[in-house]
Amino acid sequence: MLKFAICDDEPAMVKELSCHLSRYMTEKNRPSYQISTFAGGRSLLESASSFDLIFLDIQMEQPDGMETARILRRQNRHSLLVFITVLKECVFDAFEVQAYDYLIKPLDQARFQKTMDRALSLLEQRTAKNIVIQSRTACEIIPMAQIVYCEVQGRKLYLHQKNGQITDFYEKLENFERRLDRRFFKCHRSYLVNLDYVRGCSAGQVMLPQGEAIPVSRLREPDLMQALLRHMKERNR
């Protein structure tokens, strides 16, 4: 899940940025994101959360946006920083804190979208973890983040991906499970599920986006709930 922060002392600008960001993520079909808002640099710095991208106003009460950015960098926080301001002359100061981009108020929708396109691409590269699927005739590289769940039927594994594509190949489920990271949970002897996509658990079924469901064994339900809690804590660090 991508985590965004908006830090601006103007409620109208916070609302506008939130709307722009929500609209953009919806258009990109990216339902897994979170937007946190802050009215000043101090509250942002006091937040224990880490963010992938921060929209940061420059003209605020101390610490202003530039000083807030300096402190973030001293704390070794590596969020992408996008300054939002009316002060064009501050653009050179932005390089000092490795700002990713610089947007001028009032916001231009086209300019905002270009910034987000580039930022989203970079963030995906940062978090990308791929898995190589080898069949008799081809080799396919699949990002783990795209795998919703995996099921075994007979001697074949079937990877159900976010885009609707299903990839099948021969491999034992236990061997494939060792190649995956902690976001995957074995909810049933024949199923592995990506916890990023779990929307709930009821009546022996794991609920997934788009109304899909896969089985969870009765003995695995408590462990699934613990895994979900752990996963949520790890994502919010």
Side-chain angles (χ1 to χ4, degrees), residues 85-117:
T85 185
V86 295
L87 301 175
K88 296 181 180 180
E89 61 271 20
C90 289
V91 65
F92 296 106
D93 294 331
F95 290 112
E96 177 190 340
V97 291
Q98 299 92 47
Y100 183 72
D101 208 343
Y102 189 99
L103 298 177
I104 301 295
K105 298 178 182 179
L107 292 181
D108 177 77
Q109 177 64 31
R111 181 78 174 83
F112 176 85
Q113 183 157 334
K114 287 181 180 178
T115 294
M116 284 302 303
D117 284 345

Side-chain angles (χ1 to χ4, degrees), residues 200-207 213-216 221:
C201 178
S202 176
Q205 298 283 305
V206 176
M207 311 310 296
I214 59 174
V216 55
E221 279 193 40

Side-chain angles (χ1 to χ4, degrees), residues 182-194:
R182 283 165 57 88
R183 84 187 87 176
F184 289 87
F185 180 82
K186 190 174 184 180
C187 59
H188 184 275
R189 68 176 181 272
S190 300
Y191 288 85
L192 291 167
V193 65
N194 185 337

Side-chain angles (χ1 to χ4, degrees), residues 187 204 216-222:
C187 59
V216 55
S217 63
R218 181 174 55 83
L219 294 177
R220 298 292 285 163
E221 279 193 40

